[in-house]
Amino acid sequence: MEGLSEYEYTLFKEFSRKLKPLSRSDYLNKLILFKSTLNDKDLLNININESKQFIEYVNKIYAKSTCEKIYSYLHSFYNFLVKENYIQNNPFANINKPYVSRIKNKNDVLSLDELNKLISIFPNLNKRDRAIISFLISTGCLLNELISLKWKDLIIDNKNNYSCKIGSQKKERIVELPSYSWDLIMAYKESKHINNIDDLVFTSRNSNTITDRNIRLIVKNALSLADLNNYSAKDFRHSFATFSLKSGIKDETLKQKLGWSDKNYATRYKYVINFVDSDDIDYIIDDDQSNIYKSNK
């Protein structure tokens, strides 16, 4: 393996055997990055000063969130080596972990006007991309949950209420879906030939699947068209959480809607809700179905 010795790579394969392919690749890249700063020194023979210097180095060139991830990955790898008796001490154990504040601010949340501005450019998008953007906005789901959505997960009851099943295992949940989002998905469906309800809802042009990179590019394009370049896909989820809390939803209920493991995650948004529109927010469609969100003005 380029960057690692044969023995180091063997240890990495043992460490990563239960990781998913994308996570395994991410861990490996971080480990190779670390090795590249060691002048070919063996990963099993480093000291705390070398670990500290590396963290100082990444702090200078990467965003705080990336630095935190790099630290966590290396800390986990060396914990494994300690546990399996390959080394005695974790060289990252006594180094301060890069800190990323989880408290959200107004730059993480689209305003009501900005959300509706984004929706206003839908006519410039194809049917799939409209459905994807509206689904992200109106459910607050994670990208991997949207990617994994199947046609059988879309639900309509006998009262014509729409919902969908998203998430997996402990995070699996049923969330409401506004009629506007439902209609966009159905319009997209009409343009496809669906033969199996186990098929994924969203696909790419040349594949029966779609990647998170595809989704990010779709979102980036839509935000650019709406002149909202300072936002990204993750901010749809933050916006959903913020407007939910502003409308008075309980922390426990929001936990269930978003698949959080802890309702206390809601405290991240307690500050930013002071910056969103002061009017009450309804998570219902306008009568003319022109907006996903509306304020009670």
Side-chain angles (χ1 to χ4, degrees), residues 6 30 56 116 118 136 147 157 159 184 199 212 227 229 231 234 236 258 262 271 290 297:
E6 184 176 347
K30 304 300 186 291
E56 291 174 349
N116 287 326
L118 176 60
L136 290 171
I147 290 167
D157 65 19
K159 295 183 179 179
L184 288 176
D199 288 346
D212 61 345
D227 196 23
N229 296 291
Y231 295 109
K234 69 180 185 299
F236 294 154
L258 293 179
D262 190 336
Y271 175 74
S290 61
K297 291 185 177 180

Side-chain angles (χ1 to χ4, degrees), residues 3 10 13 63 84 96 118 155 162 164 173-174 180 198 226 243-244 259 268:
T10 298
K13 287 195 294 184
E84 299 299 322
N96 292 330
L118 176 60
I155 305 166
Y162 307 115
C164 62
R173 59 205 186 275
I174 303 294
Y180 185 69
D198 285 315
F243 281 110
S244 294
R268 301 173 179 177

